[in-house]
Amino acid sequence: VVVDPDNLNIPEFLESQSSVHFRDLRAAKFSWDALPSGVATVGAITTADAAGIIKLANVHIVRLQDNSGIIVFINMSHYLVDGVGLFGFVNRWAEVCRWKRRGSAANDLPACHYIFERSSLLDKMPEDRKALNDPTLELITTTGPLVRWLAWVSPKTRGMLLSKAFSFMSVVGHTFHFSTSRLASLRASVQGYLPSDVRLSDNDILTALLSMVIAQSQAECKRDSASASYLSSLASYLFPSMYAPDSSFVTQIVIDTRPRLNGQSAPAYAGNAILTHCLVNSMESLTSGITEQALAPIAKSVRQLVNGVDSQIIGQYVDTLHKDLLRFMCPATYAFTKTTMLVSNQSRFPIYQADFGDGIPTWVSSVRALFPNFSSIKPAPPSTGGYVVYISMTEQNMAKLLQNRFWMSTNDMLY
């Protein structure tokens, strides 16, 4: 991060008053439809504001009717931080507010240090390297005219183009709650089909389940589209990767590298320290029907992939990206040629620790819609327990997902 003292990027900070009461939000389970209009001041893609400036941070404070509560919308660009950095900032801001509201002296505020210098991570990487698996290598090295053009244009132009592209896709989001007891029961059932030395985590089960249900919804939509009309048949001929049945499905798993690099404490480096590692399963194994037995080998492969990412893999990943500086755009176009999904497990983030002086948040959520075939796993509020899974897909794919009986039996759809 380079700071220009003569041209500071001042965060956008807005305040507004709403006629919506907190009790109405709670009754609606904090559905996006119940939120005051305009809460989210930016979308999923980093774009320039009306003045042509990309703000690195956007904050909107909404005071609810009769002072019944507040909504805090916070966005920080992925150009600057990942989830660790975002919640590090939010919790530090909350800590400072609590400190000031107590009337404590500013000089007595405990120091908090965050690092943006990449050498703090690079120095932890060993000299030895391990080869990346083929799908991961393909994800970050497959270039073409579109990749090179998007990497060449300015961030403002790129953000505008990607934002427009996603706006034509009719992307919708839904949020689901997995209770602790229901997920434990599912994990125990799946575990019964594996050797005793293979121990599955909640992440393994949820990632495997997401892979299967999203793969099935995509496959069903492709079959429907290919046979719907003459125009669809023509489109399937011109763009086979978007309509033709695929033999494999790629699950992109976001992994935090910090705990895998010796000596690197989790909150110290606040920049982007994540990588995306890919898992390939045959489409047949994912779409033949979801059962506990069918989930077992998929969950096992997730466990093996995640366990296999070490400092040598991370070093090879970084080296591969640095060989061609345009490769940072490769993952953005990958979904145009592959049947895939991305899952980000954020359940260890301190999401419910941000106490500004009146207690922790009652509910934390993503924006209404991100981009197609994205999913995240967040902790549910402490009073509820379990996990909140967010899925963003096209309307057609989401309709198929909501018809999947096994998926809907494992959770409660919140909104």
Side-chain angles (χ1 to χ4, degrees), residues 19 92 94 98 154 168 227-228 254 309 379 392:
S19 60
R92 179 59 171 177
R98 290 198 312 274
S154 70
F168 290 117
S227 58
V254 178
V309 178
S392 182

Side-chain angles (χ1 to χ4, degrees), residues 11-16 32 35-50 53-62 71-77 163 366-368:
E12 177 187 66
F13 188 92
L14 303 175
E15 296 181 82
S16 64
W32 292 304
L35 295 178
S37 176
V39 169
T41 57
V42 294
I45 305 299
T46 300
T47 56
D49 62 12
I53 299 173
I54 293 178
K55 294 292 188 181
L56 297 183
N58 306 81
V59 177
H60 185 194
I61 308 296
V62 182
I71 300 173
V72 182
F73 170 78
I74 302 175
N75 170 77
M76 296 187 76
S77 172
S163 180
S366 304
V367 294
R368 180 186 289 266

Side-chain angles (χ1 to χ4, degrees), residues 131-142 250 277-280 305 334 338:
L132 301 176
N133 64 25
D134 290 341
T136 302
L137 189 62
E138 185 178 6
L139 171 73
I140 62 175
T141 61
T142 302
V250 181
H277 214 46
C278 294
L279 175 67
V280 174
L305 181 90
Y334 185 76
K338 295 290 181 181

